[in-house]
Amino acid sequence: MPGFESIVDQEKPVRLLSNIIQKGKIPHALLFTGIEGVGKRKAANIFAMACNCLAATFPNQLFSDQSNDHAEKERPSSPCGVCKSCRKIISGNHPDVISIQPEKAHIRIGQIRDLCRMLVMKPYEARYRMVIISDAHTLNPEAGNAMLKALEEPPDRTVLVLTAHHLHDLLPTIASRCQHIRFNPISHDALTDVLVTKEGVPAQEADLLATLAKGSLTRALSLVASGWIEQREWILRLIGKESLGQSPIDRVTTLLAFSEKLAQEKDRLENALEILKIWFRDLMVYPLSPDRVVNKDLSQTLKQLSEKTKTDDLILAYDAIQLAQKKISGNANPRLTLDVMMMKLTEFNHEKSRRHPI
Ligand SMILES: [Zn+2]
């Protein structure tokens, strides 16, 4: 059952939170900062469980017949995970664990007003009511000011847990009222280990996906779920082997057909462009520093292709992909954008790296 030990590679935050629980001195507001997917939200939920776990007693419990000193020694630092309160929090059904998340990229004033109305009332059944405000950096200014009020006059038996990417993303007046706990990006080794032991990913692929995940467990798991390795094979086959050796006209036809397929698969488009970009980056990096390529498992192919390709052409290809990514994230028409990108990619081939006017 998930306790603090289930949070991957966050030794310091876990130690701080466990200490808070063991001492029984629960702050009114906590701020968890760190990039997406490092366990902030999970830690907030486990902290909510630990504060309310029926297997532990707290100094402010009137019904506790233990002295505070005794309770401090006996109190476990992690929740039991099986009591009624823990189970309600795990299933998302605890009436006093309130979650606020951005709606269309922002947390709005209406959401904070509703929250403040709720906080006027006493907690329904919890020892500590928990309000988890995810991505607090998306509080718009009005909502931020309303939030400040709740922080200045903290309601009884209520803990506000804010999560954000960076401390400086928040209003200083909000950040200064919270106990700050920083979550670091997860180490490459810890991510690889999770992918191998929990997801059954082969070691070499896990190493590659951990590099791409850049410290985020959520990203690593979504790369596995989206079949990143299979997508890469598909893409490289289409831009590489199948079109190499074709006449320029055939190559254009192949790549435009590829562009059509990609444009139809909006969910995979973002990943696909990233795969292409990393591939061309690797071709540029390989001659300089072969150890620093991302696609390490394809080192041999990278070596062969990079020897046959001019760096100038690779830079043009890389720029074309980057431009397409930017346009698509800015809501440009995917099909047209991809067609333009593919046309640029057809202007050279690996065999001779010679421009083919089309
Ligand atoms: Zn429990």
Side-chain angles (χ1 to χ4, degrees):
M1 182 46 338
F4 284 121
E5 71 287 347
S6 66
I7 299 171
V8 176
D9 200 30
Q10 297 296 350
E11 197 191 324
K12 196 174 170 195
V14 163
R15 196 173 60 239
L16 290 169
L17 292 170
S18 302
N19 283 344
I20 290 174
I21 297 294
Q22 274 182 320
K23 288 187 176 134
K25 288 179 184 152
I26 312 295
H28 287 294
L30 286 162
L31 168 62
F32 296 172
T33 59
I35 60 163
E36 201 65 48
V38 290
K40 305 186 297 293
R41 171 82 208 190
K42 186 173 185 181
N45 267 319
I46 296 172
F47 186 70
M49 282 159 67
C51 285
N52 290 292
C53 181
L54 300 175
T57 53
F58 277 72
N60 67 342
Q61 279 183 276
L62 296 173
F63 50 84
S64 169
D65 58 1
Q66 293 170 311
S67 75
N68 285 355
D69 282 352
H70 182 65
E72 272 181 32
K73 270 181 207 155
E74 294 300 312
R75 192 174 308 121
S77 59
S78 232
C80 76
V82 292
C83 70
K84 198 170 130 198
S85 168
C86 281
R87 277 187 283 124
K88 275 190 183 176
I89 295 173
I90 291 168
S91 61
N93 289 323
H94 198 297
D96 294 317
V97 176
I98 301 158
S99 178
I100 309 257
Q101 292 183 35
E103 286 174 3
K104 290 184 190 161
H106 286 287
I107 297 176
R108 292 163 198 284
I109 179 75
Q111 292 171 269
I112 301 298
R113 280 200 190 120
D114 289 347
L115 170 69
C116 291
R117 273 194 284 272
M118 220 183 299
L119 295 184
V120 172
M121 293 180 273
K122 282 196 174 353
Y124 186 67
E125 61 180 56
R127 192 187 288 143
Y128 288 100
R129 173 166 52 196
M130 207 61 58
V131 180
I132 302 168
I133 301 177
S134 301
D135 295 333
H137 50 277
T138 66
L139 281 159
N140 69 20
E142 275 180 303
N145 284 328
M147 186 71 237
L148 198 53
K149 258 192 147 179
L151 287 165
E152 281 168 342
E153 298 159 24
D156 194 28
R157 286 164 53 210
T158 298
V159 185
L160 297 168
V161 182
L162 281 66
T163 75
H165 291 168
H166 306 286
L167 186 62
H168 58 74
D169 292 340
L170 288 176
L171 286 172
T173 40
I174 290 184
S176 66
R177 283 174 172 81
C178 303
Q179 183 173 334
H180 179 207
I181 297 183
R182 186 166 53 227
F183 288 64
N184 287 320
I186 299 170
S187 71
H188 181 274
D189 287 353
L191 281 178
T192 309
D193 186 53
V194 173
L195 295 181
V196 171
T197 56
K198 303 232 167 89
E199 301 297 315
V201 178
Q204 202 177 29
E205 289 179 14
D207 180 64
L208 166 62
L209 297 178
T211 304
L212 293 168
K214 294 177 188 156
S216 164
L217 180 58
T218 309
R219 168 121 179 97
L221 295 176
S222 90
L223 289 169
V224 175
S226 66
W228 194 92
I229 299 281
E230 294 77 17
Q231 271 195 70
R232 182 188 64 171
E233 268 165 33
W234 175 61
I235 289 165
L236 295 185
R237 199 172 58 239
L238 281 166
I239 64 150
K241 289 179 201 133
E242 282 186 12
S243 58
L244 284 178
Q246 289 180 330
S247 71
I249 296 297
D250 287 344
R251 185 166 160 79
V252 171
T253 312
T254 304
L255 290 180
L256 289 184
F258 176 41
S259 145
E260 187 180 357
K261 266 189 213 165
L262 265 188
Q264 284 165 357
E265 302 196 39
K266 290 203 176 85
D267 295 345
R268 297 168 75 183
L269 184 53
E270 199 182 316
N271 255 355
L273 289 178
E274 197 59 28
I275 289 168
L276 269 180
K277 196 170 81 174
I278 293 169
W279 181 250
F280 281 99
R281 174 222 173 253
D282 277 358
L283 284 169
M284 284 188 274
V285 168
Y286 191 89
L288 306 169
S289 178
D291 293 344
R292 296 188 61 199
V293 298
V294 175
N295 296 284
K296 284 197 180 74
D297 56 330
L298 299 180
S299 283
Q300 220 30 50
T301 315
L302 285 168
K303 183 175 185 294
Q304 289 165 4
L305 290 179
S306 63
E307 282 168 0
K308 295 174 186 166
T309 320
K310 276 188 188 168
T311 310
D312 284 356
D313 284 347
L314 293 172
I315 292 172
L316 287 173
Y318 185 88
D319 287 348
I321 298 161
Q322 206 163 26
L323 183 66
Q325 281 181 314
K326 202 170 152 194
K327 286 193 165 175
I328 287 169
S329 67
N331 276 335
N333 180 313
R335 178 70 206 274
L336 288 177
T337 310
L338 288 173
D339 282 355
V340 171
M341 183 191 86
M342 292 297 178
M343 293 299 277
K344 287 181 186 166
L345 295 188
T346 59
E347 288 178 6
F348 76 94
N349 71 36
H350 287 303
E351 290 298 327
K352 293 171 190 158
S353 192
R354 195 177 61 206
R355 317 218 121 250
H356 289 271
I358 294 163

